[in-house]
Amino acid sequence: MHFKWNYETPSSERKQAAKELAEKIGMSPILADLLIRRGIKTESAAKRFFRPMLSELIDPFLMNDMDIAVDRLNDAMGRKERIMVYGDYDVDGCTAVALVYKVLQQFYSNIEYYIPDRYEEGYGVSKKSIDEAKDRGVKLIIVLDCGIKAIEEIAYAKTLGIDFIICDHHVPDEEMPPAVAILNPKRKDSTYPFNHLSGCGVGFKFMQAFTKNNGIPFSRLMSVLDFCAVSIASDIVPVIGENRTLAFHGLKQLNQNPSVGLKAIIKVCGLTGRELTMSDIVFKIGPRINASGRMQNGKEAVDLLVERDFKNALQEASLINSYNELRKDIDKQMTEEANQIVEKLESQKHLSSIVLYGENWKKGVIGIVASRLTELYFRPTVVLTIVNGMATGSARSVAGFDIYDAIKSCRDLLENFGGHTYAAGLSMKVENIPAFRKRFQDYVNKHILPEQTQAILDIEEEIDFKDITKKMLVDIKKFAPHGPCNPKPLFCTHNVYDYGTSKVVGKLQEHIKLELVDSKSSNVMNGIAFGQSSSALFIKSKRSFDIVYTIEENAYKHGEVQLQIEDIMPSDNEE
């Protein structure tokens, strides 16, 4: 893949500010400049960034309807009403349900949870689930990570004497459902100062308010913070503000004392005994939780997440792991088919979006396929299949482009839609696909920027190998947890050379293990370049080249620096 390297040279004023901040916090000016890039300009702000405190979490009662929601929950518990905790079948929804259920179960037994079947009921609140709740004597449903568009369904539930409390983070329509309370920081009238919470995060705030109102110590919530970290990483919400605090302490919980279910997933992932990061959640833990809802039913994932017996949890985790292996096979097959279709669409090569329809594709993995195509072609992508006679799909976006708004512009062609900036779901009549494809493409053409349609590496600092020390590695680890709005810092070094010992590695000889020197120091730096073996011949030619990389700790040599190289380019003087 060819990347465009993007680097903005800091002004002399910013360099001076970084130097002054560096002296105050005991870090290099290079890392102080990283803080300034993140809007952190004072010593006190830097301390809060590196050591986020749970005591600084926002007052949950600043969220609209929170007092109403807590009162209704207290009433339900006081009257011994049957409560159903309901959530979406993805990672965010499953962790949200597990979190709320585990907290309330400590104080109340007349409670159950429900995850809709992706294939029978589809996304969100279903009439089938409401009928089932009625049959089971449920009087209150707490719905998490969905529900903000379930106007008809929640109105129907009211006629049956069932109340709803909505805990969602998706963008609402002008009209909102007739729920008792709607907890959503994206409400237009929101009074909450942070609008980037995950669905699980909104559920956590509800439980924070419930415990606070009932004089229950915050310590009773510590055991569910790991669910917050898993949801924040998997749902790709910005890792800033309150999310950073929840992710920071959630990762600490995940590493030190994870819930039994997550401990079992960690074991089947082969991650036991190592320090877990947000990347481990994104690429290992999250996909296994997701696989349950994609291949079978998400309720199995919640069963695992709330399990108390480790032996049972291991069996459940192994089953979910097998779903993930099956999911990967189907995902690979569908992506190959989709790639073939895209390659054949010669007439659409100039278009800035992709809309594909395959009636035999499995609904559970079309979101992953949409993500793969977006990464490969750098175009907003919609992948559709047929479910119960309706074209149902998932949409994924490129950096900076709001795909929810693009889909909303076609709402008259749709039966249903929902989501947020980078990911959305939608359904329509099959005969509307051609009109949708044209309308969606017209919207993308008008609103997408040229730089959003190419692979860009945003370089934060240009440095030399002499700048990289063990202290720098220690300090740079303090910038975690990483995610949107706080990515792993990308560095660039110019005019580096093979030390003479670099070699191609991997089962398919697809990676390069590097030992490099630059022109300004005698430091020999170890590096790994995954999937870049095509550059090996140039590297061995003894000519100079430039590299973009992150600074990591060598997994096999504690405390040793290793560069993870993202891109390699011949130096200007070599072209």
Side-chain angles (χ1 to χ4, degrees), residues 71-81 83 108 140:
D71 286 346
R72 181 64 186 91
L73 176 57
N74 285 337
D75 287 346
M77 295 171 77
R79 293 197 292 255
K80 303 288 193 292
E81 291 178 350
I83 299 172
Y108 192 68
L140 174 64

Side-chain angles (χ1 to χ4, degrees), residues 54-234:
L54 287 169
S55 59
E56 295 177 352
L57 287 174
I58 300 166
D59 179 357
F61 286 99
L62 291 177
M63 194 176 291
N64 305 58
D65 288 359
M66 186 62 82
D67 53 345
I68 301 170
V70 171
D71 286 346
R72 181 64 186 91
L73 176 57
N74 285 337
D75 287 346
M77 295 171 77
R79 293 197 292 255
K80 303 288 193 292
E81 291 178 350
R82 185 80 177 156
I83 299 172
M84 176 184 281
V85 185
Y86 186 114
D88 189 23
Y89 37 64
D90 70 357
V91 181
D92 195 14
C94 289
T95 51
V97 168
L99 184 150
V100 171
Y101 179 80
K102 282 188 75 171
V103 172
L104 293 182
Q105 199 186 36
Q106 297 177 68
F107 315 103
Y108 192 68
S109 59
N110 196 13
I111 185 168
E112 62 180 284
Y113 53 86
Y114 188 97
I115 303 291
D117 186 282
R118 184 190 290 261
Y119 299 97
E120 289 185 13
E121 299 170 76
Y123 171 79
V125 179
S126 70
K127 187 172 180 293
K128 174 180 178 290
S129 66
I130 293 170
D131 289 337
E132 190 166 324
K134 175 65 176 176
D135 292 343
R136 297 172 69 86
V138 171
K139 292 293 184 182
L140 174 64
I141 297 177
I142 301 169
V143 59
L144 297 136
D145 194 36
C146 57
I148 198 63
K149 296 203 171 187
I151 296 170
E152 292 180 11
E153 292 83 0
I154 292 177
Y156 171 67
K158 278 188 76 173
T159 67
L160 301 178
I162 300 172
D163 285 338
F164 266 79
I165 294 172
I166 296 172
C167 303
D168 203 353
H169 70 135
H170 296 97
V171 180
D173 272 341
E174 294 295 329
E175 181 184 0
M176 293 197 292
V180 170
I182 297 175
L183 309 178
N184 187 330
K186 289 194 177 76
R187 288 173 56 154
K188 282 190 175 177
D189 61 346
S190 177
T191 53
Y192 197 70
F194 184 74
N195 69 347
H196 298 299
L197 290 169
S198 64
C200 184
V202 178
F204 178 84
K205 298 305 294 186
F206 184 23
M207 292 299 95
Q208 185 189 1
F210 164 75
T211 52
K212 184 177 181 179
N213 177 263
N214 286 281
I216 299 164
F218 185 87
S219 58
R220 300 293 285 271
L221 297 177
M222 293 297 291
S223 64
V224 295
L225 284 171
D226 50 3
F227 293 146
C228 290
V230 171
S231 81
I232 289 165
S234 299

Side-chain angles (χ1 to χ4, degrees), residues 356-543:
L356 296 182
Y357 169 63
E359 59 183 26
N360 295 320
W361 289 342
K362 191 169 179 66
K363 183 188 175 189
V365 295
I366 56 176
I368 298 173
V369 173
S371 295
R372 297 273 189 276
L373 294 175
T374 301
E375 291 165 7
L376 190 61
Y377 296 103
F378 287 89
R379 290 186 262 176
T381 299
V382 179
V383 178
L384 299 157
T385 187
I386 194 161
V387 179
N388 299 326
M390 197 72 67
T392 301
S394 286
R396 297 293 184 270
S397 193
V398 294
F401 182 79
D402 193 328
I403 203 160
Y404 177 84
D405 281 349
I407 291 169
K408 187 178 179 181
S409 73
C410 309
R411 65 187 309 161
D412 57 301
L413 299 171
L414 306 176
E415 298 299 306
N416 204 356
F417 72 99
H420 38 76
T421 303
Y422 292 121
L426 65 163
S427 63
M428 69 189 82
K429 293 174 182 174
V430 174
E431 57 265 30
N432 284 352
I433 294 174
F436 171 81
R437 181 182 282 119
K438 183 178 186 308
R439 183 97 65 82
F440 181 78
Q441 173 60 40
D442 288 344
Y443 182 94
V444 175
N445 270 343
K446 288 177 185 175
H447 294 88
I448 202 162
L449 301 173
E451 59 267 26
Q452 292 172 337
T453 60
Q454 56 186 315
I456 294 176
L457 291 177
D458 287 315
I459 298 162
E460 297 209 51
E461 301 289 337
E462 290 185 349
I463 62 175
D464 301 318
F465 285 171
K466 63 180 171 55
D467 299 316
I468 303 173
T469 63
K470 288 187 178 181
K471 183 181 186 310
M472 185 185 200
L473 174 64
V474 170
D475 287 342
I476 212 164
K477 286 170 73 174
K478 296 175 184 175
F479 281 76
H482 297 294
C485 300
N486 182 37
K488 274 190 177 181
L490 278 177
F491 300 93
C492 174
T493 300
H494 297 283
N495 297 306
V496 304
Y497 299 85
D498 174 28
Y499 187 60
T501 48
S502 298
K503 59 183 178 181
V504 175
V505 296
K507 287 182 182 178
L508 303 175
Q509 299 285 284
E510 68 271 44
H511 315 308
I512 316 174
K513 191 175 184 304
L514 298 145
E515 288 191 326
L516 304 173
V517 292
D518 70 358
S519 56
K520 296 184 180 178
S521 71
S522 58
N523 290 7
V524 179
M525 298 300 305
N526 292 309
I528 183 76
F530 293 112
Q532 298 184 60
S533 58
S534 58
S535 296
L537 280 177
F538 180 85
I539 287 168
K540 299 303 285 184
S541 70
K542 299 292 185 184
R543 288 180 288 173

